[in-house]
Amino acid sequence: MSFPHQRPRRLRQSATMRRLVAETRLHPAELILPAFIKEGVAEPQPIASMPGVVQHTTDSLKAAAAEAAELGLGGIMLFGVPATRDATGSASLHPEGVLNAAIRDVKAEVGDALVVMSDLCLDEFTDHGHCGVLREDGAVDNDATLEIYGRMGVAQAEAGADVVGPSGMMDGQVRVIREALDDAGHEDTAILAYAAKYSSAFYGPFRDAVDSALQGDRKTYQMDAANRTEAMLEVALDLEEGADMVMVKPAMSYLDIVRDVAEMADVPVSAYQISGEYAMIEAAAANGWIDRRAAITESVLSIRRAGADTVLTYWAAELGRWMKEGSL
């Protein structure tokens, strides 16, 4: 009887052996924590569709940022939820607006112990919920939006953001923001471009998180889920325009895109494990259908294994705590 000479199972025989030969590992510095701050609330507001995630007050956001820094996380990505909105998202530009104030507060709290990132988009600030200003026919005006994005980038840099994250998928946004930052003397402010951002069904809970007023959809500017090659064009354009890092969003449903981008980009690649991906695992775990900790860990490992250098995930702090405890 012939027996196999090669036995891959030899390297799976114990937890210590599996740990020794693991090809992909998680480290806190690879994780970025998305965080929301809501103007005018006295205490953190739970987000029903995202169990465990809240709309922060200034104090609770500062505490979350301090914990992220203490855990050694790579960064925090800030999103603002203003009390009032208008057609042009003017609150995004005000130095004392909710997001710019939050950047300043978090930067003062953590200094250089954590990379402070800020979402650069109008959707949280407009009364129609789109990522740009609208023309009379209701379509998003790409070039008029770019002018505002440039000013937003400067406002966020002046508030202290280390990295701005343009997420609106307007054509030419990285170039306009880079030029605006440089002209204002913020040459050291980096750009993490949401380069391949798809129009996804999995954004639903995020819209609860930012109290979105969206009317219609974003299919004319976010990418079609059917397209793969187009993502390479979008990434190439952002790199040509000066992106320091690029992102794929969503992550779990687009792991093929993460791999493609990781293979072609010569800058760090991020992927965003979005609200719907988070909510599905939390809901399944709450019903006892899956092992929560194992599912969280496996899901983030899959994104890293696909090629993402960093992962934006709402579990970043929890994963960091598990790593610190030595239980991951």
Side-chain angles (χ1 to χ4, degrees), residues 67-116:
E67 182 193 30
E70 193 273 332
L71 291 170
L73 299 189
I76 187 169
M77 177 68 79
L78 303 177
F79 298 84
V81 184
T84 59
R85 297 174 164 97
D86 59 28
T88 61
S90 60
S92 66
L93 301 175
H94 198 288
E96 300 303 321
V98 61
L99 180 54
N100 294 326
I103 295 167
R104 193 162 48 250
D105 289 338
V106 169
K107 190 64 180 175
E109 181 72 21
V110 301
D112 292 330
L114 186 68
V115 177
V116 178

Side-chain angles (χ1 to χ4, degrees), residues 248 250-251 254-263 269-271 303 306-308:
V248 176
Y254 296 85
L255 294 177
D256 57 329
I257 309 302
V258 176
R259 168 50 59 188
D260 289 346
V261 173
E263 289 178 347
V269 175
S270 291
I303 301 166

Side-chain angles (χ1 to χ4, degrees), residues 4-305:
H5 292 290
Q6 288 192 317
R7 295 181 181 268
R9 288 184 56 193
R10 292 186 187 114
L11 301 184
R12 304 174 192 149
Q13 294 304 303
S14 67
T16 51
M17 181 65 79
R18 292 189 295 272
R19 184 179 65 204
L20 175 69
V21 300
E23 299 173 24
T24 306
R25 306 175 193 275
L26 296 180
H27 188 278
E30 300 160 351
L31 304 178
I32 298 167
L33 177 67
F36 307 97
I37 180 166
K38 184 170 183 176
E39 189 172 20
V41 296
E43 58 186 27
Q45 303 294 301
I47 301 166
S49 57
M50 299 177 69
V53 181
V54 301
Q55 295 171 321
H56 284 287
T57 65
T58 297
D59 287 343
S60 69
L61 178 62
K62 288 164 64 176
E67 182 193 30
E70 193 273 332
L71 291 170
L73 299 189
I76 187 169
M77 177 68 79
L78 303 177
F79 298 84
V81 184
T84 59
R85 297 174 164 97
D86 59 28
T88 61
S90 60
S92 66
L93 301 175
H94 198 288
E96 300 303 321
V98 61
L99 180 54
N100 294 326
I103 295 167
R104 193 162 48 250
D105 289 338
V106 169
K107 190 64 180 175
E109 181 72 21
V110 301
D112 292 330
L114 186 68
V115 177
V116 178
M117 306 177 172
S118 54
D119 182 64
L120 199 166
C121 193
L122 286 175
D123 60 324
E124 298 105 299
F125 297 95
T126 55
D127 54 14
H128 46 73
H130 278 285
C131 298
V133 295
L134 303 183
R135 301 192 311 236
E136 289 186 5
D137 63 1
V140 172
D141 188 327
N142 190 98
D143 294 0
T145 300
L146 293 182
E147 189 274 334
I148 299 175
Y149 280 6
R151 294 164 62 197
M152 284 182 70
V154 172
Q156 293 178 5
E158 289 181 348
D162 300 304
V163 178
V164 296
S167 61
M169 289 297 288
M170 296 296 117
D171 293 340
Q173 62 184 14
V174 172
R175 185 184 304 279
V176 167
I177 294 165
R178 182 73 271 157
E179 290 176 353
L181 289 169
D182 291 352
D183 289 346
H186 296 292
E187 297 90 348
D188 292 336
T189 303
I191 297 176
L192 169 55
Y194 289 57
K197 182 179 179 181
Y198 285 81
S199 180
S200 173
F202 296 105
Y203 292 137
F206 178 89
R207 290 170 186 163
D208 292 340
V210 297
D211 297 344
S212 175
L214 180 64
Q215 301 166 18
D217 59 50
R218 300 183 175 128
K219 294 183 183 297
T220 64
Y221 47 101
Q222 293 179 353
M223 289 182 59
D224 190 325
N227 293 354
R228 182 175 180 178
T229 302
E230 184 185 16
M232 300 303 99
L233 171 62
E234 288 282 7
V235 172
L237 288 170
D238 281 358
L239 292 174
E240 179 185 325
E241 292 175 15
D244 299 287
M245 299 175 278
V246 293
M247 185 194 296
V248 176
K249 184 179 181 182
M252 290 171 62
S253 299
Y254 296 85
L255 294 177
D256 57 329
I257 309 302
V258 176
R259 168 50 59 188
D260 289 346
V261 173
E263 289 178 347
M264 65 86 71
D266 57 0
V267 300
V269 175
S270 291
Y272 197 144
Q273 186 177 43
I274 65 169
S275 59
E277 296 167 337
Y278 172 93
M280 288 191 300
I281 290 175
E282 288 289 353
N287 278 282
W289 299 334
I290 59 174
D291 181 309
R292 180 178 180 273
R293 180 181 290 216
I296 291 170
T297 304
E298 185 177 336
S299 70
V300 178
L301 269 172
S302 77
I303 301 166
R304 285 279 295 115
R305 191 183 65 244

